[in-house]
Amino acid sequence: MDTDLSSQDRKDLDKFIKFFALKTVQVIVQARLGEKICTRSSSSPTGSDWFNLAIKDIPEVTHEAKKALAGQLPAVGRSMCVEISLKTSEGDSMELEIWCLEMNEKCDKEIKVSYTVYNRLSLLLKSLLAITRVTPAYRLSRKQGHEYVILYRIYFGEVQLSGLGEGFQTVRVGTVGTPVGTITLSCAYRINLAFMSTRQFERTPPIMGIIIDHFVDRPYPSSSPMHPCNYRAGEDNGAVYPSVEDSQEVCTTSFSTSPPSQCVFTVTKAHFQTPPPVVTDTLKVPVMGLAFSHQLSSSRLSYQPAALGVGSADMGYPVLFAGGLNAAHPHQLIGPGKEGGVPPIPNQPAHGTQADQERMCTPLDGVHYSAATPSSSEDTETVSNSSEGKCGSPHDLLETIFIRKVGAFVNKPINQVNPPDSPETESPLQGSLHSEGSSGSSTGNTHDDFVMIDFKPAFSKDDILPMDLGTFYREFQNPPQLSSLSIDIGAQSMAEDLDSLPEKLAVHEKNVKEFDAFVETLQ
Amino acid sequence: MNCRAEVLEVSVEGRQVEEAMLAVLHTVLLHRSTGKFHYKKEGTYSIGTVGTQDVDCDFIDFAYVRVSSEELDRALRKAVGEFKDALRNSGNDGMGQISLEFYQKKKSRWPFPDECIPWELWTIKVNVVNLANEQERQICREKVGEKLCEKIINIVEITDSLGTSVTTTMRRLIKDTLAL
């Protein structure tokens, strides 16, 4: 079939298709992050913007997409699919869309790879940008918050549309003919969203003023098509998200990865207002991407009710992603502390630590927080993972679920978790009854159970009226009303004031020059 | 060269005219914009990068993507603003149309003027409706949003169907332009 294609053309075509697939995933996932995307035009090509479009790369998403592809390319019978689903705080999930990148056998031998195919792919990406904003899931993703989050899953193989419910609709984004087949990009989306409208989300009040962060052991119910990933704690195979996937094929990432000890996303749009300490989820956070870190973690995601007292209305961001394939990355989200939270672990230093990441595994044994560095400059994202989990699913359906749940934020040191101690000083009444007076003398009989002490308040003088605190309290419990507050006297004084006003004004007018001189000295 | 003509129709409330027009026109321009061409000495050229940004509508439950170019946005807003004013003042029962034409400018020899050869024409027919109360306006917000979603899908389908031929046309246009 491709005998007419030169080896260079074939190589180029494979490269184009590969990066087109990666960019497709980026566009789709970024369109479901819940926020507005903005990239700059540039008159000078940097050599890293594929298809002449400024599409940022979220390293984690690229990583997952590459894992899903596993070195293969979309071909006949082998489609790359991005599944977008919704998960409620109660654990219910629903598939919303399946985006399919397919290849059929219809070839266009005449087409020129280096220019025409490339430009057609660019046009197709533009169409994808437009179409991702018009399907129903876009509006849902923009409103995601603590009630629900949007997840993604990438898989390679046969398209699975059964989860979309009955009557799903399909929209074709576009096609590009190539010498080896025709690439088709389409989206099948659910139209029956009745599940959402009838759901009522219950919330339980926080316990003792402590807002509990929520991490579920197994975030997905057994009926869900998604499979959680088992993360092995402490394992680090060095799978840091590369900023350069292949040295010869770099086309994106303006982001650099942080050292393996940290999973840090630096915020591109720094919306957070509070400085660190920030909270890092120990659950893997899939895509944080752009402007997330602080805000995301501070806003919502909570799978259990009463997660957040935080008003998330102003937080547009959240997103939860289920990464496809063997995710092994404990992606941590960093968020500013918002409300008193539960930090059952010791306070962490300002930078995320390896230890926390290593403890990131299911089942969760509690809430783990670690402060992380705040965002630095724009256009930088750093992601790294320190451990890699194993995925027990079949290779075809390998998927990794990243779930990030964010609950309350810790902005207090751990020793403030408990309600504040009762005041050290006892009430006067108590003082008169009990022995632990702060003043007064003690009889000093340590062998007695309690010792009576006379409480002599400092404001009670013995020569005037010897009294203890209790007597004083009773005596002065009902003091007489101030005379100036009585109506008659008040009215009388006001009348006198009004009468004397003209005289006072006359005096002041005489002394105008003095006043002016005084004001000038002040200037 | 034949000029392809596409017609889209929308029915909107008065205050939605601007946003609806901008959404459609920006979507078309997104598909028809390329990065800046830099002509190089060796007879090759390089192409700049097009950035994109999301735009939320205020009067319609709708969002769209446009090219990140303030100059382009200003030019469109100016044209759409003039159109909206003309529509309001025309008294044609709120019916009007605005067109976006893509043409090739061919320089002619003196004394002949430059030749403008259109190769694609997008026409948006607008029908302005008047609504009686806030409830109707709210329904209109949603309905127009859904309609615009359909229009975007239409535009994408059209651009896809035009496909290779347009790419070839554009390539020829660019070559012609750079050769002069």
Short mmCIF file of all heavy atoms in Angstrom, two decimals, chain B residues 147-180:
data_model
loop_
_atom_site.label_atom_id
_atom_site.label_comp_id
_atom_site.label_asym_id
_atom_site.label_seq_id
_atom_site.Cartn_x
_atom_site.Cartn_y
_atom_site.Cartn_z
N LYS B 147 -28.23 26.66 19.16
CA LYS B 147 -28.20 26.91 17.71
C LYS B 147 -26.78 27.24 17.25
O LYS B 147 -26.34 26.81 16.18
CB LYS B 147 -29.12 28.08 17.34
CG LYS B 147 -30.58 27.69 17.30
CD LYS B 147 -30.85 26.75 16.13
CE LYS B 147 -32.26 26.19 16.21
NZ LYS B 147 -32.46 25.11 15.24
N LEU B 148 -26.11 28.03 18.05
CA LEU B 148 -24.74 28.37 17.68
C LEU B 148 -23.84 27.15 17.69
O LEU B 148 -22.93 27.03 16.86
CB LEU B 148 -24.18 29.46 18.61
CG LEU B 148 -24.67 30.87 18.31
CD1 LEU B 148 -24.11 31.84 19.34
CD2 LEU B 148 -24.27 31.32 16.92
N CYS B 149 -24.08 26.24 18.62
CA CYS B 149 -23.33 24.98 18.61
C CYS B 149 -23.52 24.29 17.28
O CYS B 149 -22.57 23.78 16.67
CB CYS B 149 -23.77 24.06 19.75
SG CYS B 149 -23.27 24.60 21.40
N GLU B 150 -24.77 24.27 16.81
CA GLU B 150 -25.03 23.64 15.50
C GLU B 150 -24.31 24.38 14.39
O GLU B 150 -23.79 23.77 13.45
CB GLU B 150 -26.54 23.64 15.23
CG GLU B 150 -27.34 22.71 16.13
CD GLU B 150 -28.84 22.88 15.90
OE1 GLU B 150 -29.22 23.42 14.85
OE2 GLU B 150 -29.60 22.47 16.80
N LYS B 151 -24.28 25.70 14.48
CA LYS B 151 -23.60 26.48 13.43
C LYS B 151 -22.11 26.18 13.40
O LYS B 151 -21.49 26.08 12.34
CB LYS B 151 -23.80 27.99 13.64
CG LYS B 151 -25.24 28.45 13.56
CD LYS B 151 -25.86 28.10 12.23
CE LYS B 151 -27.37 28.11 12.36
NZ LYS B 151 -28.03 27.44 11.25
N ILE B 152 -21.52 26.06 14.58
CA ILE B 152 -20.09 25.75 14.63
C ILE B 152 -19.84 24.39 14.00
O ILE B 152 -18.87 24.21 13.24
CB ILE B 152 -19.59 25.76 16.10
CG1 ILE B 152 -19.84 27.12 16.75
CG2 ILE B 152 -18.13 25.37 16.18
CD1 ILE B 152 -19.25 28.29 16.03
N ILE B 153 -20.71 23.44 14.31
CA ILE B 153 -20.55 22.11 13.71
C ILE B 153 -20.71 22.22 12.20
O ILE B 153 -19.96 21.58 11.44
CB ILE B 153 -21.56 21.12 14.32
CG1 ILE B 153 -21.23 20.88 15.80
CG2 ILE B 153 -21.57 19.80 13.57
CD1 ILE B 153 -22.24 20.06 16.56
N ASN B 154 -21.65 23.04 11.75
CA ASN B 154 -21.83 23.25 10.30
C ASN B 154 -20.56 23.79 9.67
O ASN B 154 -20.12 23.33 8.61
CB ASN B 154 -22.96 24.25 10.03
CG ASN B 154 -24.32 23.63 10.24
OD1 ASN B 154 -24.42 22.43 10.42
ND2 ASN B 154 -25.34 24.45 10.25
N ILE B 155 -20.00 24.80 10.32
CA ILE B 155 -18.79 25.43 9.77
C ILE B 155 -17.67 24.41 9.68
O ILE B 155 -16.96 24.33 8.67
CB ILE B 155 -18.36 26.62 10.64
CG1 ILE B 155 -19.39 27.75 10.56
CG2 ILE B 155 -16.98 27.14 10.23
CD1 ILE B 155 -19.19 28.84 11.59
N VAL B 156 -17.55 23.60 10.72
CA VAL B 156 -16.49 22.59 10.72
C VAL B 156 -16.73 21.58 9.61
O VAL B 156 -15.79 21.17 8.92
CB VAL B 156 -16.41 21.92 12.11
CG1 VAL B 156 -15.61 20.64 12.08
CG2 VAL B 156 -15.81 22.88 13.13
N GLU B 157 -17.97 21.19 9.42
CA GLU B 157 -18.28 20.22 8.36
C GLU B 157 -17.97 20.82 6.99
O GLU B 157 -17.42 20.15 6.12
CB GLU B 157 -19.77 19.83 8.42
CG GLU B 157 -20.09 18.85 9.54
CD GLU B 157 -21.58 18.61 9.70
OE1 GLU B 157 -22.39 19.33 9.05
OE2 GLU B 157 -21.93 17.73 10.49
N ILE B 158 -18.30 22.09 6.83
CA ILE B 158 -18.06 22.73 5.55
C ILE B 158 -16.57 22.80 5.29
O ILE B 158 -16.08 22.48 4.19
CB ILE B 158 -18.68 24.15 5.51
CG1 ILE B 158 -20.21 24.04 5.53
CG2 ILE B 158 -18.22 24.91 4.29
CD1 ILE B 158 -20.90 25.35 5.84
N THR B 159 -15.83 23.24 6.30
CA THR B 159 -14.39 23.36 6.10
C THR B 159 -13.77 22.00 5.82
O THR B 159 -12.84 21.88 5.03
CB THR B 159 -13.69 23.96 7.34
OG1 THR B 159 -14.57 24.04 8.42
CG2 THR B 159 -13.09 25.27 7.07
N ASP B 160 -14.30 20.98 6.46
CA ASP B 160 -13.75 19.66 6.23
C ASP B 160 -14.07 19.20 4.81
O ASP B 160 -13.23 18.60 4.14
CB ASP B 160 -14.32 18.67 7.25
CG ASP B 160 -13.76 17.28 7.06
OD1 ASP B 160 -12.51 17.16 7.02
OD2 ASP B 160 -14.53 16.33 6.91
N SER B 161 -15.28 19.49 4.35
CA SER B 161 -15.66 19.01 3.02
C SER B 161 -14.90 19.75 1.94
O SER B 161 -14.58 19.20 0.90
CB SER B 161 -17.17 19.17 2.82
OG SER B 161 -17.50 20.54 2.82
N LEU B 162 -14.59 21.01 2.21
CA LEU B 162 -13.82 21.77 1.23
C LEU B 162 -12.40 21.24 1.16
O LEU B 162 -11.79 21.20 0.11
CB LEU B 162 -13.81 23.26 1.59
CG LEU B 162 -15.17 23.95 1.54
CD1 LEU B 162 -15.03 25.39 2.00
CD2 LEU B 162 -15.73 23.91 0.14
N GLY B 163 -11.93 20.88 2.30
CA GLY B 163 -10.71 20.08 2.46
C GLY B 163 -9.54 20.40 1.58
O GLY B 163 -9.00 21.50 1.54
N THR B 164 -9.15 19.40 0.83
CA THR B 164 -7.90 19.48 0.09
C THR B 164 -7.92 20.60 -0.93
O THR B 164 -6.91 21.25 -1.15
CB THR B 164 -7.66 18.16 -0.64
OG1 THR B 164 -7.89 17.09 0.25
CG2 THR B 164 -6.24 18.10 -1.18
N SER B 165 -9.07 20.78 -1.53
CA SER B 165 -9.12 21.79 -2.58
C SER B 165 -8.79 23.16 -2.04
O SER B 165 -8.10 23.95 -2.67
CB SER B 165 -10.48 21.80 -3.25
OG SER B 165 -11.48 22.01 -2.29
N VAL B 166 -9.27 23.44 -0.84
CA VAL B 166 -8.98 24.74 -0.25
C VAL B 166 -7.52 24.85 0.10
O VAL B 166 -6.88 25.87 -0.10
CB VAL B 166 -9.86 24.98 1.00
CG1 VAL B 166 -9.38 26.20 1.76
CG2 VAL B 166 -11.30 25.14 0.61
N THR B 167 -7.00 23.75 0.62
CA THR B 167 -5.59 23.77 0.99
C THR B 167 -4.74 24.05 -0.24
O THR B 167 -3.80 24.85 -0.20
CB THR B 167 -5.19 22.44 1.61
OG1 THR B 167 -6.10 22.12 2.65
CG2 THR B 167 -3.79 22.52 2.20
N THR B 168 -5.10 23.40 -1.33
CA THR B 168 -4.33 23.61 -2.56
C THR B 168 -4.49 25.05 -3.04
O THR B 168 -3.52 25.68 -3.47
CB THR B 168 -4.84 22.65 -3.66
OG1 THR B 168 -4.92 21.35 -3.12
CG2 THR B 168 -3.91 22.68 -4.86
N THR B 169 -5.71 25.54 -2.93
CA THR B 169 -5.96 26.92 -3.34
C THR B 169 -5.13 27.88 -2.52
O THR B 169 -4.48 28.79 -3.05
CB THR B 169 -7.45 27.26 -3.16
OG1 THR B 169 -8.23 26.30 -3.85
CG2 THR B 169 -7.76 28.65 -3.65
N MET B 170 -5.17 27.66 -1.22
CA MET B 170 -4.43 28.56 -0.35
C MET B 170 -2.95 28.48 -0.64
O MET B 170 -2.24 29.48 -0.63
CB MET B 170 -4.71 28.22 1.11
CG MET B 170 -6.10 28.63 1.55
SD MET B 170 -6.34 28.41 3.31
CE MET B 170 -5.32 29.69 3.97
N ARG B 171 -2.50 27.26 -0.90
CA ARG B 171 -1.07 27.10 -1.18
C ARG B 171 -0.70 27.87 -2.43
O ARG B 171 0.33 28.55 -2.49
CB ARG B 171 -0.79 25.61 -1.35
CG ARG B 171 0.67 25.28 -1.50
CD ARG B 171 0.83 23.80 -1.72
NE ARG B 171 2.21 23.45 -1.93
CZ ARG B 171 2.60 22.23 -2.26
NH1 ARG B 171 1.72 21.28 -2.40
NH2 ARG B 171 3.87 21.96 -2.44
N ARG B 172 -1.56 27.78 -3.42
CA ARG B 172 -1.29 28.49 -4.67
C ARG B 172 -1.31 30.00 -4.45
O ARG B 172 -0.50 30.74 -4.96
CB ARG B 172 -2.31 28.10 -5.72
CG ARG B 172 -1.90 28.48 -7.10
CD ARG B 172 -2.67 27.82 -8.21
NE ARG B 172 -3.70 26.91 -7.83
CZ ARG B 172 -5.01 27.13 -8.00
NH1 ARG B 172 -5.43 28.24 -8.53
NH2 ARG B 172 -5.90 26.24 -7.65
N LEU B 173 -2.27 30.41 -3.64
CA LEU B 173 -2.38 31.84 -3.33
C LEU B 173 -1.12 32.36 -2.67
O LEU B 173 -0.59 33.41 -3.00
CB LEU B 173 -3.57 32.07 -2.38
CG LEU B 173 -4.97 31.95 -2.98
CD1 LEU B 173 -5.98 32.03 -1.87
CD2 LEU B 173 -5.20 33.04 -4.00
N ILE B 174 -0.67 31.57 -1.71
CA ILE B 174 0.49 32.02 -0.97
C ILE B 174 1.71 32.06 -1.89
O ILE B 174 2.51 33.00 -1.85
CB ILE B 174 0.73 31.11 0.24
CG1 ILE B 174 -0.39 31.33 1.26
CG2 ILE B 174 2.08 31.38 0.89
CD1 ILE B 174 -0.61 30.17 2.18
N LYS B 175 1.82 31.05 -2.72
CA LYS B 175 2.96 31.03 -3.64
C LYS B 175 2.91 32.21 -4.58
O LYS B 175 3.92 32.86 -4.85
CB LYS B 175 2.92 29.73 -4.44
CG LYS B 175 3.66 28.58 -3.80
CD LYS B 175 3.80 27.44 -4.78
CE LYS B 175 4.88 26.48 -4.31
NZ LYS B 175 4.94 25.29 -5.16
N ASP B 176 1.71 32.47 -5.07
CA ASP B 176 1.56 33.62 -5.96
C ASP B 176 1.98 34.90 -5.26
O ASP B 176 2.69 35.73 -5.80
CB ASP B 176 0.09 33.76 -6.40
CG ASP B 176 -0.27 32.73 -7.44
OD1 ASP B 176 0.66 32.08 -7.97
OD2 ASP B 176 -1.47 32.58 -7.73
N THR B 177 1.49 35.02 -4.04
CA THR B 177 1.76 36.25 -3.30
C THR B 177 3.24 36.42 -3.04
O THR B 177 3.81 37.49 -3.20
CB THR B 177 1.01 36.22 -1.96
OG1 THR B 177 -0.35 35.89 -2.21
CG2 THR B 177 1.08 37.55 -1.25
N LEU B 178 3.88 35.33 -2.65
CA LEU B 178 5.29 35.44 -2.31
C LEU B 178 6.15 35.63 -3.54
O LEU B 178 7.26 36.16 -3.47
CB LEU B 178 5.73 34.19 -1.54
CG LEU B 178 5.18 34.07 -0.13
CD1 LEU B 178 5.53 32.72 0.44
CD2 LEU B 178 5.72 35.17 0.76
N ALA B 179 5.65 35.18 -4.69
CA ALA B 179 6.45 35.28 -5.90
C ALA B 179 6.52 36.70 -6.43
O ALA B 179 7.39 37.05 -7.20
CB ALA B 179 5.89 34.35 -6.96
N LEU B 180 5.60 37.52 -5.99
CA LEU B 180 5.53 38.87 -6.53
C LEU B 180 6.49 39.83 -5.83
O LEU B 180 6.71 39.67 -4.65
CB LEU B 180 4.11 39.41 -6.40
CG LEU B 180 3.10 38.64 -7.27
CD1 LEU B 180 1.69 39.02 -6.87
CD2 LEU B 180 3.33 38.93 -8.74
#
